[in-house]
Amino acid sequence: CLGAFSFGYHLGIVNPALEHLALDLGIAANVQMKGLVVSTVLIGATVGSLCSGKVADDLGRKSALIASAAPLVAGSLLCSCASAVWIMLLGRVLCGLGIGAASNLVPMYVAEIAPEKMRGTLGSLNQLAICIGILLAVIAGLPLAGNPLWWHNMFLFAAGPAVLQGALMTVVPESPGWLRRKGRIAEAEAAETALWGAPDLVATAAAAAAASGDGDSGAMPKGKDAGASLGGLFAPSNRRQMTIGTTLFFLQQMTGVNAVIYFSSSMFAASGVKSAVAASVAVCAINVFGTLCSGQALDRMGRKPLLIGSFVGMGASCLVIAAAMSAQATWSLAGPVAVAGTLAYMVCFGLGCGPIPGLLSSEIFSPAIRGSAMSLCFVTHWVFNFVIGQAFLPVVQAVGGPAVFLGFSAMCAASVLFVQTQVLETKGKSLESIQREMMALNN
């Protein structure tokens, strides 16, 4: 999960470092340029996510993950030594390419190598690594208070996990399902033994690999999978899966997580916590806690109950935040109540809405389109992340913070309805059985 850690670290690193690097690069008074430093990583991530699925389908999950480390290393080094804003922007784009690819490839690889009874727990480690990466990025910014040039070291540190990712991925097995789909049966059997143990222990786990393989394994009848072209992705046999995957990522972004994080510092300040860094650490730490709880519950409670409970809790928390913001001028407890709502929101987000969209996307697609389909799902994530980031402040200025959070609560209610009626439960099921159920739903 080093790729997921890098994903989180690069998303979180600009929060504490932006004002310091802007001063050094001569853009302290240029709001648009500072916005570009933040948003170019999202542009790179969109491209990286879009391209990585095809690379993973053609060259393998392992090779794609090794390759994704290169732009992460190069981008981190460029950002670290940036003496001009264009160098910083180029580095941020390269980092974006790497984290966009990793955001797609890590859950895909984990789903294809994990035994079905542990797939939820292992899949949640991806989101946990992202949360830890964000948290450590914020903590890494603490020395900035005494050393404004520390931001160079913060970006340099980011190269370490990327180097480890590239090196360690050379010694792990390739996805057995991908190898089988390519007809490399002997290599697939060797990978299964390396992953799951002696041959007598491989039998149950091999069913999952068969589902990740092709028609030759018997997992999927020949001719049932549409190709991985854009038209094939939206063919009738794949329509339900694409609807679930892309809509969950859309709802993840439209239910307020970025807004809650943005307002967290002001909410903590209103309750007497003046340190923005302390507020950020608290929000990130509580998100890690929620994700840890999710990892323990995914394979026991299932994806749908956790996702529904997550959206219900997030919606209720948004109502609390909206009420506290409305009463801030007249209610002495408005600040602490808003903080409580913020922390409750982040716990609920970590329990379901954070980890489950990526996990489900890695489970519901057939092997012939899994790479390209997951790419499109994660492109949805990055595009709407960018859109919300650009539109959020103008909307707040136009209608006010309380109205925005009421809107987020309404989106949470709509999300509960979508999950209840459209999402397939995948707990404890092999990838093969999930694909058969999805095929039946599409017919």
Side-chain angles (χ1 to χ4, degrees):
C1 288
L2 286 168
F5 175 87
S6 294
F7 174 1
Y9 190 89
H10 281 287
L11 287 183
I13 193 172
V14 171
N15 186 23
L18 181 60
E19 295 303 324
H20 299 278
L21 68 86
L23 190 62
D24 288 347
L25 298 179
I27 58 171
N30 191 329
V31 176
Q32 290 77 17
M33 195 59 69
K34 287 195 289 186
L36 274 178
V37 171
V38 175
S39 60
T40 46
V41 75
L42 301 179
I43 297 171
T46 302
V47 176
S49 181
L50 186 63
C51 299
S52 60
K54 179 65 174 174
V55 174
D57 283 341
D58 290 345
L59 303 181
R61 287 35 171 158
K62 176 178 174 178
S63 297
L65 277 164
I66 293 171
S68 71
L72 283 170
V73 174
S76 299
L77 294 177
L78 278 175
C79 290
S80 174
C81 67
S83 57
V85 67
W86 71 267
I87 301 176
M88 174 60 69
L89 294 177
L90 177 59
R92 291 289 282 169
V93 169
L94 288 174
C95 290
L97 288 172
I99 67 172
S103 69
N104 182 14
L105 297 170
V106 173
M108 184 192 311
Y109 179 74
V110 170
E112 293 182 352
I113 67 170
E116 60 200 50
K117 291 183 179 179
M118 295 180 63
R119 200 167 57 241
T121 300
L122 293 177
S124 72
L125 293 178
N126 177 60
Q127 181 67 20
L128 180 62
I130 294 171
C131 295
I132 292 174
I134 295 173
L135 176 60
L136 291 185
V138 174
I139 294 173
L142 291 175
L144 283 167
N147 180 7
L149 297 178
W150 181 255
W151 64 268
H152 292 280
N153 293 324
M154 294 172 65
F155 283 102
L156 183 61
F157 296 155
V163 170
L164 284 176
Q165 174 191 328
L168 294 178
M169 282 303 301
T170 62
V171 298
V172 302
E174 177 58 270
S175 162
W178 181 83
L179 290 169
R180 286 183 178 278
R181 188 155 65 89
K182 294 298 183 180
R184 295 156 61 174
I185 305 303
E187 292 177 66
E189 291 173 347
E192 289 163 2
T193 301
L195 287 166
W196 302 316
D200 59 325
L201 300 177
V202 170
T204 56
S212 303
D214 61 2
D216 294 337
S217 69
M220 294 290 291
K222 287 184 182 292
K224 292 292 185 181
D225 275 330
S229 65
L230 186 60
L233 293 179
F234 289 96
S237 59
N238 300 320
R239 194 167 294 152
R240 183 71 169 268
Q241 297 95 307
M242 290 303 305
T243 299
I244 293 172
T246 54
T247 304
L248 283 180
F249 276 113
F250 168 77
L251 294 172
Q252 183 191 62
Q253 295 302 306
M254 294 298 291
T255 47
V257 62
N258 292 320
V260 171
I261 293 173
Y262 177 84
F263 271 118
S264 62
S265 296
S266 61
M267 291 174 188
F268 275 77
S271 66
V273 180
K274 301 304 182 184
S275 171
V277 174
S280 297
V281 169
V283 169
C284 294
I286 205 70
N287 193 18
V288 170
F289 172 76
T291 307
L292 279 171
C293 295
S294 172
Q296 299 298 311
L298 273 167
D299 286 318
R300 292 204 301 266
M301 296 177 61
R303 283 55 158 165
K304 282 185 72 170
L306 277 177
L307 201 49
I308 290 172
S310 176
F311 280 124
V312 168
M314 289 160 59
S317 300
C318 285
L319 289 176
V320 170
I321 294 171
M325 293 177 75
S326 297
Q328 192 168 4
T330 58
W331 187 26
S332 61
L333 294 179
V337 169
V339 168
T342 299
L343 296 180
Y345 181 99
M346 294 308 299
V347 169
C348 294
F349 179 84
L351 280 172
C353 187
I356 292 177
L359 173 61
L360 272 174
S361 295
S362 69
E363 295 177 316
I364 60 178
F365 293 110
S366 63
I369 67 164
R370 184 172 292 129
S372 296
M374 287 185 65
S375 285
L376 193 55
C377 290
F378 277 94
V379 164
T380 304
H381 165 88
W382 292 114
V383 167
F384 282 99
N385 190 319
F386 179 80
V387 169
I388 292 296
Q390 297 301 305
F392 173 64
L393 285 180
V395 173
V396 169
Q397 291 170 355
V399 302
V404 170
F405 278 95
L406 287 175
F408 289 143
S409 184
M411 285 300 301
C412 288
S415 301
V416 170
L417 181 63
F418 175 80
V419 173
Q420 186 65 48
T421 58
Q422 299 295 318
V423 173
L424 176 73
E425 179 57 69
T426 59
K427 181 192 75 169
K429 299 175 183 177
S430 68
L431 296 180
E432 178 184 17
S433 66
I434 294 169
Q435 290 155 29
R436 291 187 186 282
E437 288 186 49
M438 293 304 308
M439 191 178 297
L441 290 173
N442 281 317
N443 289 336

